Amino acid sequence: MSHHATTKLSSLLLRQLGPRLLSPSPFSGAMMETSKISRAVARNCTSIASTNAEKEEKPVPSSVAESDKTAIVSYWGVAPPKLTKEDGSPWKWNCFRPWEAYKADTTIDVKKHHKPVNSVDKLAFWTVQALKYPTYLFFQKRHMCHAMLLETVAAVPGMVGGMLLHCKSLRRFEQSGGWIKALLEEAENERMHLMTFAEIARPKWYERAIVFAVQGVFFNAYFLAYLASPKLAHRITGYLEEEAVNSYTEFLNDLENGNFENVPAPAIAIDYWCLPPDSTLKDVIKVIRADEAHHRDLNHYASVCSLCSVSEKH
């Protein structure tokens, strides 16, 4: 092949293959397109962010801000109905409702004592006595702090007993004879005692730590005791309530002797126990002591029938 023919063939191949070999590859072209799109998206995001920033800088009307802060106390996000008292004034408590208020029976016998007659009773009695003396030594005449610690413990048995009877009723497909509701109401009543005292005084940090530790230990111990023997658990609670009655009796004596200031009753106590508007702390302690005496009788009776069966159909 001559030199002329070779040159002509080379030029022909260069014209055919040159654009493909010398042009940018598809991958590089795609990369260029991607970079263009990225720059465009970045510009759009920047403009959107600046627009949102301008919107945030605009002052929010006070009416809108206040409406956003309005709390709706409901599980379903629906504002609860506005409740009123008998005199037409608004009801301001969320922890209980007007139909849950009542008048305590202050004529109940506060000196009643169940004498231990068998081994279960004696075990329960001496258990409570062993727990009582360290508490009295620690609090001495600080009745308010003593009462607050007492209520944090006294509210546990009703909840534990009601919970376990509830589960037992579900397992056996049987009714409880009304005991679940009675025990849960007892726990709620004890909690309201604590809410009342919290309106009058606040415990110190170390007293809160004691409450935290004592409640944690007592809850688990009582839970195991109830699983082992409901009769023993309710007898322990009955003796605990007897000591609560005695403690509030001492509180009343110091109020009457002027050793403790007889401050006005908190509003929550007046509404919960339907007390007169001019009631004092002495009146509050009287109704709380009556509640404790009622819980005493309830738990001693529950220990007699032992609540080992939930088969009653009434």
Side-chain angles (χ1 to χ4, degrees):
M1 183 180 291
S2 64
H3 176 71
H4 179 73
T6 303
T7 303
K8 188 173 181 180
L9 180 60
S10 299
S11 63
L12 180 62
L13 290 173
L14 183 63
R15 285 197 301 270
Q16 295 294 329
L17 301 178
R20 298 182 180 181
L21 295 174
L22 299 178
S23 63
S25 64
F27 176 76
S28 62
M31 291 294 294
M32 292 175 64
E33 292 297 328
T34 304
S35 63
K36 291 179 181 180
I37 294 173
S38 300
R39 288 194 296 271
V41 171
R43 286 195 299 270
N44 292 336
C45 292
T46 304
S47 61
I48 292 173
S50 61
T51 304
N52 292 336
E54 293 176 357
K55 291 181 180 180
E56 291 177 357
E57 292 176 357
K58 293 182 180 180
V60 180
S62 59
S63 61
V64 176
E66 292 177 358
S67 63
D68 292 340
K69 296 179 181 179
T70 302
I72 299 178
V73 185
S74 173
Y75 291 106
W76 309 109
V78 180
K82 294 182 179 180
L83 302 176
T84 59
K85 301 181 185 178
E86 294 180 356
D87 58 1
S89 58
W91 185 264
K92 60 180 180 180
W93 311 110
N94 290 324
C95 53
F96 69 103
R97 293 294 186 250
W99 52 85
E100 295 173 341
Y102 68 99
K103 291 184 178 181
D105 181 16
T106 56
T107 63
I108 191 170
D109 185 6
V110 297
K111 297 182 179 180
K112 186 186 297 184
H113 168 65
H114 177 81
K115 186 177 180 180
V117 294
N118 53 39
S119 59
V120 173
D121 293 353
K122 292 178 182 179
L123 176 60
F125 177 77
W126 289 111
T127 299
V128 173
Q129 294 301 306
L131 297 174
K132 178 184 72 173
Y133 289 108
T135 305
Y136 277 116
L137 289 175
F138 180 80
F139 289 103
Q140 296 181 359
K141 292 294 183 178
R142 290 180 295 167
H143 296 295
M144 192 60 64
C145 295
H146 187 189
M148 297 182 77
L149 175 64
L150 186 66
E151 298 301 341
T152 59
V153 172
V156 170
M159 182 60 65
V160 172
M163 175 186 66
L164 291 177
L165 285 179
H166 173 76
C167 294
K168 190 174 184 180
S169 177
L170 296 178
R171 291 195 305 271
R172 296 189 176 184
F173 300 91
E174 294 175 343
Q175 299 184 26
S176 69
W179 279 107
I180 294 175
K181 183 177 180 180
L183 294 177
L184 294 181
E185 285 180 348
E186 175 187 323
E188 175 65 13
N189 181 251
E190 298 284 6
R191 189 184 68 86
M192 287 304 301
H193 294 175
L194 181 63
M195 296 299 102
T196 299
F197 289 127
E199 295 289 326
I200 303 175
R202 293 288 179 180
K204 298 178 181 179
W205 68 268
Y206 59 88
E207 292 170 342
R208 289 178 178 270
I210 292 174
V211 167
F212 187 84
V214 170
Q215 189 188 69
V217 173
F218 182 75
F219 180 92
N220 290 282
Y222 191 84
F223 180 85
L224 295 176
Y226 206 101
L227 287 177
S229 172
K231 181 180 181 66
L232 172 64
H234 282 287
R235 190 64 79 192
I236 290 175
T237 306
Y239 286 126
L240 282 174
E241 299 295 354
E242 286 187 12
E243 294 302 328
V245 172
N246 296 335
S247 176
Y248 286 123
T249 299
E250 293 181 7
F251 197 169
L252 281 173
N253 292 336
D254 284 346
L255 283 171
E256 293 173 353
N257 296 332
N259 299 329
F260 199 92
E261 184 181 0
N262 190 23
V263 298
I268 189 173
I270 293 175
D271 289 341
Y272 184 67
W273 284 284
C274 303
L275 297 174
D278 58 346
S279 297
T280 62
L281 178 59
K282 180 180 177 180
D283 301 313
V284 175
I285 298 302
K286 285 183 178 179
V287 295
I288 291 179
R289 183 178 64 171
D291 287 346
E292 303 294 359
H294 173 72
H295 299 158
R296 171 203 63 197
D297 297 341
L298 175 68
N299 280 277
H300 280 316
Y301 175 73
S303 179
V304 172
C305 62
S306 73
L307 295 183
C308 292
S309 175
V310 293
S311 61
E312 294 184 23
K313 303 284 186 173
H314 57 79

